[in-house]
Amino acid sequence: MSRTTAQTPIDEICNRLWLAIAERKLRPGARLKEEELCAIFSVSRARVRAALARLESSGLVTLVPNRGAFVSEPTIEEARDIFFARRTIEARLVERLCTNVTPQALSRLRAHLEDERAAHARNDTSAIIHLSGGFHLLVAELAGSRYLSDVLNELISRTSLIIAMYQSRSAPDCGPEEHEEIIRMIEAGDAEGTKRAMDAHLQHLEDALDLQEDKPRQSALSDILA
Ligand SMILES: [Zn+2]
């Protein structure tokens, strides 16, 4: 689901829906009508159902008998649990990267940070969301854990759902400053400091959420995926 190059029509449907959820174009609770998806992707109903079943297994879609498929609506308890999982996993990933970091890895982190700064400078919301999550995926990739990269990919999509549901007025996306602090700690070879910086960063994201706020409004499926 995380791959940008789709291999099958089902992969493509999953990737497109995953990206729309990750970029918060598809909101929690949005209805995913089978016939609309068939038309948008020019595929059979069987393929759409297979894609929706795969997205359900990764927690992004909820299938309701006799009603259809909806983008999942994480509860407050689930939201806290996702952040707990991310803090636990990412602290260890960044520690592992810190103890084995290469100059090439540092260059890639710095280059990514520059892309994030550029996206913030031009106020490109879609790129900001994509690159914010991308920083965390890059850390996992550079730490050398393909399995945890896949796990994190799913957790980041779920984080997007949580932010879409529970964000307060100021958008609580990762800022480049906190990512830079993490890179500085990695560069200094300070494993404990790196773990602390990552933990504080994820805690900051969680603290910025308003866990009392109602669900946001939704857009038409055909507009989002057009
Ligand atoms: Zn971040």
Side-chain angles (χ1 to χ4, degrees), residues 130-195:
H130 187 68
L131 290 165
S132 294
F135 174 82
H136 294 263
L137 291 173
L138 181 60
V139 166
E141 182 199 326
L142 295 173
S145 177
R146 179 171 290 187
Y147 176 72
L148 283 182
S149 292
D150 285 344
V151 171
L152 200 53
N153 208 8
E154 186 180 316
L155 288 173
I156 285 170
S157 303
R158 290 193 189 213
T159 305
S160 275
L161 278 182
I162 291 162
I163 291 174
M165 266 189 90
Y166 299 114
Q167 69 182 341
S168 51
R169 275 166 204 79
S170 58
D173 281 300
C174 305
E177 295 77 20
E178 293 190 6
H179 287 174
E180 182 171 28
E181 174 65 9
I182 293 165
I183 295 173
R184 265 205 300 269
M185 290 289 174
I186 294 171
E187 228 164 2
D190 183 347
E192 276 306 311
T194 309
K195 276 165 68 176

Side-chain angles (χ1 to χ4, degrees), residues 80-98:
R80 291 191 172 128
D81 195 34
I82 293 292
F83 274 100
F84 172 72
R86 284 194 61 177
R87 281 198 304 278
T88 305
I89 290 169
E90 294 192 55
R92 297 306 303 269
L93 278 172
V94 86
E95 178 187 37
R96 183 171 169 184
L97 175 59
C98 189

